[in-house]
Amino acid sequence: MIGLISATAAGAAARDRLAAAWPDRTRVYEGPVGDAVRRAFAECEQLVCFLATGAVVRIVAPLLADKANDPGVVCVDEAGRFAVSLAGGHGGGANDLARAVGDVLGAEPVVTTATDAVDLPGLDTLGLPVEGDVAGVSRALLDGEPVALRAEVAWPLPPLPVAAEGAYTIRLTDRLVEAAEREVVLRPPSLVVGVGASSGVPVEEVLGLVETALREAGLSARSLAELATVDAKAEEPGIVEAARRLGVPLVTYAAGELSGVEVPNPSDAPLAAVGTPSVAEAAALLRGGELLVPKRKSQRADGTPAMATCAVVRRPGRGRLAVVGLGPGARDLLTPRAKAELRRAAVLVGLDQYVDQIRDLLRPGTRVLESGLGAEEERARTAVEEARKGQAVALIGSGDAGVYAMASPALAEASDDIDVIGVPGVTAALAAAAILGAPLGHDHVSISLSDLHTPWEVIERRVRAAAEADIVVTFYNPRSRGRDWQLPKALAILAEHREPSTPVGVVRNASRPDESSRLTTLGALDPATVDMMTVVTVGNTATRDIAGRMVTPRGYRWQTAQEGAE
């Protein structure tokens, strides 16, 4: 919850705007300012104070205890010009909160955390447990001193300016080790513990077994990703509570799935009880990995039979491929999610001209793999290969990456051994439609007239179907120097079913500095004025030119009423 505190009418107005934008995330604190801040500090994860920074400093200073646990505090000035990350920049999320508040209120976020100021990811913001000399290693990164990365476990990290050797070290490991001098240890969630248990097993027995198994194998409990078991034990109180205390999810599988996993230590007892010869080992191994601790039983002080078994598996870090749509070209049409994925990527793959559009958004140290036109499949293969190495990869395309762009070839190459995240973007058709008016107000279709990948016979059949169905059509790749007859042919097909007066919108370089657009008709359009940078939108029989705007009504009652009025 985010506590909101204000002292003046102007502050209250801005406070109320934020509360309206985030109704489920915020709580307004009334009353004397000092009391309100102190109550919010005790009750909330974050605070936004519409107060002078000096006043907030004096109030919260006695309350600060530990930057890892204190709430993040953001101050907004009376005029709403600045959102200042005052305390808890990383641990309390104040830096991100300041940016989010700025987006809502139109304020400039002020972030003074050193790593954020120079656009380096903070070691304590990577989403991994961190130990050791965070301040010293961060300072070395900031000062440009060589910092070595020792990755004992492959894991997708954002770009870090690391070297092969250095006086400082970032160690990525799930081993039970202490951080050395000038070293930071990052704990990836790479360990899975499979658990089998008898009904009524005490939580202390499950916890003791898991913790002992990890410790004796030299593994860190901070790298535990999940407990896994059979569906029949999904509500076993001892297992459920053990997962809660360990702070990890409990994942369950059907007995039929587990019975198909080859394990070193099958047993008749679980087969009779729950229908699979293995629970602990099979549940841990089901999604692959290396068996580090074979099945072991708990030890009971009174000598009675064990009620719990466990096995430990290390799963390899899964590479991450984000397929990112950059939109039609304008920076303000690049989505916040796309920006976040660009900043997260350690490797960027894309067409050289698209890379140039967003190069300034990349973090220092991002490895860029760019190529020219016509290498789509090669770029897709490269992106997937980099992700399979355990990297965080972004594959970029214009518009929406799933529309005539890179998502299709990338997913054709990718298998289930990497995580794939699609990031939508504003398509050229949508950007052009917004410029023209509302041509896509009813059913519509996009058709590429390029026959490089699709035979013309197929394209023609699709155009004819759209014409007969009276659907608005947006043509991509309408005409180039080597393909000058396809657009006239497509327009002729549409003209068999639509009047010459049918509105046609022509938009070139939508949203870019040299954008141009015009509204013409099906009978008047000269295909020679169209090129590959142009999107052509042909209306249906209901589309109208209204005050110079191309409008397709959502239904036909409005059209009928308008014609009746005429």
Side-chain angles (χ1 to χ4, degrees), residues 409-454:
L411 294 182
E413 290 287 336
S415 53
D416 63 359
D417 57 345
I418 61 172
D419 295 324
V420 180
I421 297 90
V423 182
V426 178
T427 67
L430 295 179
I435 294 165
L436 294 170
L440 308 183
H442 209 285
D443 297 335
H444 54 275
V445 64
S446 294
I447 299 177
S448 171
L449 294 183
S450 172
D451 55 1
L452 295 177
H453 300 288
T454 306

Side-chain angles (χ1 to χ4, degrees), residues 127-131 152 155 171-179 184-190 218-224:
L128 304 178
V130 58
E131 304 164 14
E152 298 174 12
W155 208 262
R171 186 175 181 183
L172 187 67
T173 183
D174 56 18
R175 308 296 301 181
L176 187 60
V177 296
E178 295 289 335
V184 161
V185 174
L186 297 175
R187 303 288 188 189
S190 54
L219 300 170
S220 172
R222 301 192 77 188
S223 282
L224 184 58

